[in-house]
Amino acid sequence: MLKERFAMRVAVHLFLVKDSQVLLLRRYNTGYEDGNYSVPAGHLDGNEEVKTAAVREAKEECRIDIDPASLEMVGVMHRRSTDERIDFFVATTEWRGEIINAEPNKCDELVWVDMDKLPTNVIPYVRQALLNFRRKEWFDSFGWERPIRVE
């Protein structure tokens, strides 16, 4: 008898960067972390490469086009919250089109912020991923038994 294998959700998060700023979106009406800031992100749809998912999310959430070749893989996080997840983080400084809030039913604000001056209400694991990105730390575990690093 075959035992069912463990499976977890996988998401991709996009750091849109200009100078020392990153684009944040404030979550709204989603049922998860509403009122807090995140970055453009979403789950992999299955049979979808990570960079392809990042390009899709950029189009869905911000109405911009990104060449997958301009995306840099900058981090992976093994995370535990209400369940266990793997998060991929990609960054780019290049896109085509004007960034707009293309999902006003899920996001009520887009804002460019200095990565050294993030708002207090950035989702904690996203804050940690941005800190890791600045430190060039490529892998992290988050939400397990160890304390969260703060800077």
Side-chain angles (χ1 to χ4, degrees), residues 58-95:
K59 187 70 165 179
E60 289 175 4
E61 296 185 18
C62 300
R63 285 293 182 264
I64 57 172
D65 295 305
I66 297 177
D67 179 350
S70 75
L71 292 170
E72 178 185 359
M73 297 297 301
V74 296
V76 175
M77 184 177 284
H78 182 202
R79 178 170 58 94
R80 184 172 66 184
S81 57
T82 56
D83 57 4
E84 195 171 342
R85 296 172 179 249
I86 294 291
D87 295 305
F88 289 94
F89 298 90
V90 298
T92 189
T93 58
E94 301 173 23
W95 54 86

Side-chain angles (χ1 to χ4, degrees), residues 16-151:
L16 295 171
V17 179
K18 67 176 183 180
D19 302 317
S20 65
Q21 295 183 319
V22 65
L23 181 74
L24 296 181
L25 340 119
R26 190 169 56 199
R27 296 182 61 86
Y28 165 75
N29 200 32
T30 68
Y32 177 75
E33 295 285 351
D34 290 335
N36 293 324
Y37 288 101
S38 188
V39 295
H43 295 107
L44 270 66
D45 283 345
N47 198 29
E48 180 178 45
E49 196 267 338
V50 170
K51 288 184 177 183
T52 302
V55 168
R56 176 179 52 77
E57 290 295 338
K59 187 70 165 179
E60 289 175 4
E61 296 185 18
C62 300
R63 285 293 182 264
I64 57 172
D65 295 305
I66 297 177
D67 179 350
S70 75
L71 292 170
E72 178 185 359
M73 297 297 301
V74 296
V76 175
M77 184 177 284
H78 182 202
R79 178 170 58 94
R80 184 172 66 184
S81 57
T82 56
D83 57 4
E84 195 171 342
R85 296 172 179 249
I86 294 291
D87 295 305
F88 289 94
F89 298 90
V90 298
T92 189
T93 58
E94 301 173 23
W95 54 86
R96 290 178 310 283
E98 181 182 343
I99 293 173
I100 64 165
N101 180 3
E103 294 185 327
N105 59 322
K106 296 180 182 178
C107 167
D108 66 356
E109 181 181 37
L110 298 178
V111 62
W112 288 99
V113 299
D114 189 304
M115 284 189 267
D116 287 330
K117 299 174 184 167
L118 295 174
T120 57
N121 60 330
V122 173
I123 297 172
Y125 79 89
V126 173
R127 176 183 296 280
Q128 186 64 45
L130 285 164
L131 177 61
N132 292 346
F133 171 57
R134 302 284 316 272
R135 293 178 173 169
K136 299 190 183 323
E137 292 181 15
W138 206 81
F139 177 80
D140 201 358
S141 292
F142 188 89
W144 299 88
E145 296 290 326
R146 67 180 178 79
I148 298 168
R149 294 190 314 266
V150 181
E151 190 168 285

